Amino acid sequence: TCKHDNLLCPGHFGSIELLFPVFNPGYFTHILHVLRCICKTCSHILLPKQDINKRLRTFWRPGSLSVYNRLDKMSALVKECQKVTVCPHCGAINGPIRKTKNYLIIWHKIGDRNETLRSSFTAQFEDLKISEQLTQDQITSYVCEDLTPTRVLHLFDNIPAREIPLLTYSKKISHPSDMIVRSFTVPPNGIRPSVLSPGEGSTEDDLTMRVRE
């Protein structure tokens, strides 16, 4: 990019685009908090419009919120939204959000609060002889949908812009979709130089090995 040769070029940062988005492990807890606050169909905050407007007026009031107050407000918003089962904006059913034990997939346990979905799901197993392997409670526990990083990214991108400050509690430019990784930075060679080892050729830097992985 600087038009210099390999002797004069200081090196430039690049990036590698991922085929599919992934959750950023450092923000996984906050990703769960945002998902518990928004509708998994229309991406609106699970509160009536009047409550949202009231919270926004408080948020934009000059000098009204310190850092600790913002954290408390976010915790209160999560607790209030978790009690909502039907979205006040689109009428969709919203169940609890759970993290799976072994991998970074989030479950939207929609069947916990929707008797119709639970009944239609369990009806598929009535003619199958699996009573010895699975109990009725075990069957109903799987009435859920996977919230993959691709699905979560789509939900976050559709959050109305005016509601985003209530989810990030930051007046700076930030967006919940930034917590989903779509690319990562590759440092220039000057930061990760190869080391010549006598009789063994060159030894690559740890950063280079990470990029290769």
Side-chain angles (χ1 to χ4, degrees), residues 103-174:
Y103 49 95
L104 289 180
I105 293 293
I106 302 170
W107 279 351
H108 179 208
K109 299 180 75 63
I110 192 171
D112 285 1
R113 298 176 179 177
N114 191 328
E115 180 63 32
T116 303
L117 282 179
R118 188 163 61 247
S119 300
S120 61
F121 181 81
T122 55
Q124 305 175 54
F125 299 91
E126 291 179 354
D127 297 331
L128 300 178
K129 297 180 180 180
I130 58 172
S131 57
E132 297 180 358
Q133 290 85 1
L134 292 174
T135 64
Q136 191 72 9
D137 291 338
Q138 288 175 323
I139 293 174
T140 55
S141 66
Y142 287 100
V143 188
C144 59
E145 55 182 351
D146 291 342
L147 293 179
T148 61
T150 302
R151 172 81 187 282
V152 173
L153 179 61
H154 176 72
L155 290 173
F156 285 1
D157 283 338
N158 289 328
I159 296 175
R162 66 186 300 269
E163 298 178 9
I164 289 175
L166 296 181
L167 300 171
T168 60
Y169 265 91
S170 172
K171 296 183 180 180
K172 299 180 181 179
I173 300 175
S174 59

Side-chain angles (χ1 to χ4, degrees), residues 59-101:
F59 177 81
W60 291 112
R61 191 177 301 156
S64 59
L65 293 177
S66 65
V67 175
Y68 296 106
N69 285 336
R70 291 175 185 176
L71 293 176
D72 292 339
K73 292 286 186 181
M74 184 64 193
S75 299
L77 179 65
V78 173
K79 291 180 180 179
E80 191 168 349
C81 290
Q82 281 184 296
K83 302 175 184 178
V84 180
T85 58
V86 179
C87 175
H89 304 278
C90 68
I93 300 294
N94 284 265
I97 298 295
R98 297 287 185 270
K99 175 185 175 298
T100 55
K101 296 180 180 179

Side-chain angles (χ1 to χ4, degrees), residues 187-199:
N189 293 333
I191 296 179
R192 47 185 180 87
S194 300
V195 179
L196 294 177
S197 301

Side-chain angles (χ1 to χ4, degrees), residues 187-210:
N189 293 333
I191 296 179
R192 47 185 180 87
S194 300
V195 179
L196 294 177
S197 301
E200 299 181 3
S202 61
T203 302
E204 298 297 338
D205 187 81
D206 290 342
L207 283 176
T208 302
M209 300 305 297
R210 285 293 185 181

